[in-house]
Amino acid sequence: MASGNTNAQVPISKCEVCDRGVDARFYCQECTQEMCKDCQKSHLRMVMAKNHTIIRIATDKDTSVHQQESCKIPCQTHPKETVQMYCLTCTLPICHTCIAEKTHTNHDLDKLVNIAEKYKKYLAQFISKTKQDISDHQTSLQSIQNNIQDYTEHADKTISDINKQREQIKSEADKVADDMIREVEHRKFKDVTTMKEKGDKIKKFISDDKELLGPCEEKVHSDTDTCVKDFKTVLSYKKNKTTFSVTPLRPPIFVRNDVHGLQDIFGTLKDQTEKIRVVGGLKYNPYGEPIQKLDYKIAPVGTSVNIGTVPTPAGTSVDISTDVISNIKLGINGTSVCAVSDKESWCGSGFGVGKDLVLIQTNGTIKKKVNLDNSLYDITVTSSGDVIFTEWKGHTIRKYSSDKVTIVANNLSPYQTQGLCVTSEQDILVCLYNEKNDKVVRMSLNGQIKQTIQYNKQNKPLFSDPKLVTENINGDICVVDDYRTVVVVNKDGQFSLKYPESGKSTHTIGDCSGIACDKLGYILISDYVNSQVHQIDSDGKFVQFVLTEQHGIEKPLGLSIDNKGQLWVCYKNGTEVRVYKYRS
């Protein structure tokens, strides 16, 4: 049997079945015999051998071709031979000599190229998964870096706010102290002057009395004739007693207040109670409570115009100026808008205006238009991009996904389904109306009701006609009630506030047709009648008008804030959508 280097031919044995001396070209694993081509054919025709595994032994031609396609690894047992097979039982590459020597009888064998292909597929999968892991880790790292930067910026802002409060309180304390000192100085001058005048009068009486004493003393020691002679003069010395009431001056004293109570006036630090949340499929940072007022710049497309300031109730003003990212003509009457990203948003002909649903882009393109069977009321979007919607005077909640409409919740009669939103926990909040027992319910994406919000602690109805709903960053549920007020309840459904509050707020809402919350917890409310967008904080206090007719907004409707903090506004009776670079 010939042998050679790795480029030599595979040694060929003679057929072990017949006696013709023909070269063996095949090997039966079960019989552990090498055989020629004719014997191999006969072998396979035998009933007992029909399921045997026959392996072809490479020829010179096969070897040369195979060696060009495979690696040239020497066999560990026969170093002068190249491996061609792989023993799965021994997990070892072997050559044909190993097979011929029958050291791997009844073992599981496979061609080396097949094993190599399997390992290549495994490595390809491993590489793909590892790259994905690296990408995920890089995303996590970027998230951490962004969070550190965001945290640092907000912490620095908090420190700045504390210093401003310190200076303001110092200024107020100086003013109060100066006023008190002026008051004490004034009273000191007035009271001391009055007392001095009274002292001067007393001095005058003392002087007069001293002048009278001299003549009187002389008369006391005079003789009778002289005294009688001057009798009339003596009688004229009648003493008129004059008394002076002297009330001691009591200067004002300063009574100190307990400075330990200054903490209540100065303010407190509040820990964040909310993790990073996802509202309507959009991620927001963890700052659930407003910690600063927002700066805005609003101008026509392609220009930058400073339009002045808007006074706030406290008498301060917040500069309003930002850029318009895009102005999009819808081709429908869109009343509802729900941003999918900073580039795309779904719009719907809500409030019964129409049956159209469109996916728009900031470049003005209408990417998709869907004509539904019934008129819409409101729309929202899940984190996976599915559109959840309610119908005008309908009793169901439906989902549009992959060009199909399916039912999420069926037959909620006698309630009509109205405004809705998807929460950070991927639940649905939906307004239900039936003229008597209006409520807001929380349900899963498969329509299972998990919470009902209907009454306050006094068992009185919270809502009269809930129209729209959204979730704030701190978990509060903000409900537009009867187009005139916004009712806010906490995550547990307990009443928190109402805006505008009767008798306390100087601002009113003509017709609230849109509501959204930003990443700092501010609530934005569109007023269709007055062409304004209110901004209030999470305590229900008015901050400013974010948009007015001065900013080119006419009849605002739906509002939405995307993952980049941009503000999407339906306006002009829903025929256009404007995207603002809303910076918080």
Side-chain angles (χ1 to χ4, degrees):
M1 182 179 295
S3 63
N5 58 27
T6 55
N7 291 320
Q9 68 178 46
V10 176
I12 303 299
S13 303
K14 300 301 179 180
C15 179
E16 298 177 346
V17 178
C18 66
D19 297 327
R20 296 181 297 158
V22 181
D23 291 343
R25 297 300 182 194
F26 299 92
Y27 174 75
C28 177
Q29 290 192 40
E30 285 73 19
C31 299
T32 65
Q33 283 184 316
E34 295 183 1
M35 57 192 72
C36 64
K37 185 176 181 180
D38 293 336
C39 292
Q40 178 257 349
K41 291 180 179 179
S42 301
H43 190 68
L44 290 178
R45 285 196 292 267
M46 298 173 60
V47 176
M48 60 177 295
K50 67 178 182 178
N51 293 323
H52 285 194
T53 302
I54 305 297
I55 298 174
R56 189 173 185 274
I57 300 174
T59 62
D60 293 343
K61 180 179 180 181
D62 295 331
T63 301
S64 62
V65 174
H66 185 67
Q67 286 175 343
Q68 292 174 7
E69 297 176 350
S70 63
C71 61
K72 301 175 182 179
I73 302 174
C75 177
Q76 294 182 9
T77 307
H78 309 95
K80 294 184 178 181
E81 305 291 340
T82 57
V83 292
Q84 302 293 331
M85 303 294 292
Y86 190 85
C87 179
L88 298 172
T89 304
C90 301
T91 64
L92 183 71
I94 61 176
C95 66
H96 287 299
T97 302
C98 295
I99 297 174
E101 291 177 349
K102 302 179 181 181
T103 55
H104 297 273
T105 303
N106 297 326
H107 288 191
D108 291 330
L109 304 179
D110 199 353
K111 292 181 179 179
L112 194 63
V113 290
N114 293 342
I115 297 298
E117 287 302 318
K118 290 179 182 179
Y119 276 109
K120 286 179 181 179
K121 289 180 181 179
Y122 169 79
L123 288 174
Q125 294 174 354
F126 178 81
I127 291 170
S128 176
K129 186 178 184 304
T130 302
K131 287 183 177 179
Q132 183 60 47
D133 288 343
I134 292 172
S135 176
D136 292 343
H137 293 328
Q138 288 174 336
T139 301
S140 299
L141 179 60
Q142 185 63 46
S143 177
I144 289 173
Q145 292 171 343
N146 291 342
N147 185 249
I148 290 173
Q149 180 181 354
D150 195 39
Y151 182 95
T152 302
E153 290 175 357
H154 283 83
D156 291 343
K157 179 62 174 60
T158 298
I159 293 171
S160 175
D161 289 343
I162 292 172
N163 284 326
K164 287 180 182 178
Q165 183 76 333
R166 187 214 318 254
E167 294 304 319
Q168 184 175 353
I169 288 179
K170 279 184 179 179
S171 175
E172 290 296 323
D174 288 342
K175 181 180 178 182
V176 171
D178 289 343
D179 289 343
M180 284 185 176
I181 290 171
R182 279 193 294 270
E183 174 66 17
V184 173
E185 292 285 356
H186 173 73
R187 290 176 61 179
K188 180 178 74 171
F189 175 79
K190 179 181 177 182
D191 292 345
V192 170
T193 299
T194 302
M195 192 61 75
K196 283 182 177 180
E197 290 175 352
K198 190 176 289 187
D200 290 342
K201 288 182 179 180
I202 293 174
K203 287 180 181 178
K204 179 67 168 60
F205 277 99
I206 291 173
S207 176
D208 290 345
D209 284 347
K210 284 183 177 181
E211 290 180 2
L212 185 62
L213 282 176
C216 289
E217 287 177 347
E218 290 178 0
K219 298 293 186 284
V220 168
H221 300 291
S222 65
D223 55 22
T224 301
D225 292 341
T226 302
C227 184
V228 172
K229 180 180 177 180
D230 295 331
F231 183 71
K232 288 184 179 180
T233 302
V234 171
L235 292 179
S236 68
Y237 293 158
K238 183 178 180 181
K239 179 67 175 174
N240 293 322
K241 185 178 181 180
T242 302
T243 60
F244 293 90
S245 60
V246 180
T247 303
L249 290 176
R250 293 184 175 86
I253 63 173
F254 177 65
V255 180
R256 296 182 191 150
N257 287 334
D258 184 5
V259 294
H260 297 295
L262 182 62
Q263 182 73 57
D264 296 334
I265 299 173
F266 192 93
T268 59
L269 290 175
K270 185 173 183 180
D271 289 334
Q272 300 165 20
T273 57
E274 296 292 332
K275 60 183 181 180
I276 294 178
R277 303 177 66 81
V278 180
V279 181
L282 306 178
K283 292 183 178 180
Y284 295 105
N285 77 11
Y287 300 95
E289 293 296 327
I291 59 173
Q292 62 178 336
K293 292 181 180 178
L294 311 185
D295 293 334
Y296 308 91
K297 293 185 181 293
I298 298 177
V301 178
T303 64
S304 180
V305 179
N306 188 350
I307 55 95
T309 59
V310 176
T312 65
T316 60
S317 60
V318 178
D319 198 26
I320 299 179
S321 64
T322 193
D323 299 326
V324 177
I325 303 299
S326 178
N327 204 81
I328 308 159
K329 295 186 182 297
L330 295 179
I332 65 169
N333 290 325
T335 61
S336 301
V337 59
C338 193
V340 179
S341 68
D342 62 317
K343 301 297 183 184
E344 294 184 345
S345 179
W346 282 101
C347 291
S349 300
F351 301 132
V353 172
K355 305 177 182 180
D356 297 311
L357 187 66
V358 294
L359 180 61
I360 61 174
Q361 297 179 318
T362 50
N363 61 9
T365 303
I366 305 296
K367 186 176 181 180
K368 180 177 289 189
K369 183 173 182 180
V370 182
N371 188 260
L372 302 171
D373 293 334
N374 301 307
S375 296
L376 286 168
Y377 188 98
D378 195 17
I379 66 170
T380 186
V381 178
T382 67
S383 60
S384 60
D386 297 333
V387 181
I388 310 294
F389 63 92
T390 53
E391 298 169 333
W392 178 252
K393 294 185 178 181
H395 307 285
T396 60
I397 300 175
R398 302 181 189 274
K399 176 174 73 173
Y400 174 78
S401 177
S402 302
D403 297 327
K404 294 181 181 179
V405 175
T406 56
I407 293 177
V408 174
N410 193 22
N411 194 18
L412 295 172
S413 181
Y415 291 97
Q416 293 180 15
T417 54
Q418 302 197 136
L420 79 169
C421 74
V422 172
T423 70
S424 60
E425 298 174 354
Q426 293 301 289
D427 290 332
I428 299 172
L429 289 171
V430 60
C431 301
L432 299 181
Y433 168 74
N434 78 340
E435 296 184 358
K436 293 182 179 180
N437 300 310
D438 307 311
K439 57 187 177 182
V440 173
V441 300
R442 183 191 299 269
M443 63 175 62
S444 63
L445 289 177
N446 60 12
Q448 181 180 359
I449 294 179
K450 303 166 69 173
Q451 181 187 18
T452 298
I453 304 168
Q454 191 169 12
Y455 301 107
N456 62 16
K457 291 182 178 180
Q458 290 74 38
N459 204 34
K460 293 183 179 180
L462 287 166
F463 318 109
S464 60
D465 184 2
K467 297 293 187 182
L468 299 170
V469 62
T470 192
E471 184 188 45
N472 207 343
I473 190 70
N474 59 3
D476 284 352
I477 300 167
C478 309
V479 181
V480 174
D481 193 33
D482 198 24
Y483 296 124
R484 294 293 186 273
T485 60
V486 173
V487 177
V488 179
V489 299
N490 64 21
K491 190 173 182 179
D492 297 326
Q494 299 300 316
F495 176 81
S496 179
L497 63 94
K498 179 183 288 188
Y499 174 85
E501 189 173 359
S502 177
K504 294 186 178 182
S505 177
T506 58
H507 302 280
T508 60
I509 302 176
D511 190 336
C512 179
S513 49
I515 187 168
C517 298
D518 67 24
K519 63 182 179 180
L520 293 179
Y522 287 103
I523 305 170
L524 304 185
I525 306 160
S526 64
D527 185 344
Y528 177 83
V529 171
N530 297 313
S531 293
Q532 298 169 337
V533 175
H534 298 232
Q535 182 195 53
I536 65 174
D537 64 22
S538 60
D539 295 324
K541 296 178 182 178
F542 176 83
V543 178
Q544 62 182 331
F545 291 119
V546 174
L547 298 173
T548 66
E549 286 185 313
Q550 299 177 55
H551 314 126
I553 282 296
E554 177 186 346
K555 307 296 183 185
L557 291 161
L559 304 174
S560 183
I561 299 176
D562 63 33
N563 55 348
K564 290 289 185 67
Q566 298 176 160
L567 175 62
W568 299 64
V569 186
C570 286
Y571 75 112
K572 285 189 178 179
N573 289 320
T575 58
E576 296 182 27
V577 168
R578 182 170 285 183
V579 185
Y580 291 98
K581 191 175 182 180
Y582 175 93
R583 290 191 297 267
S584 46

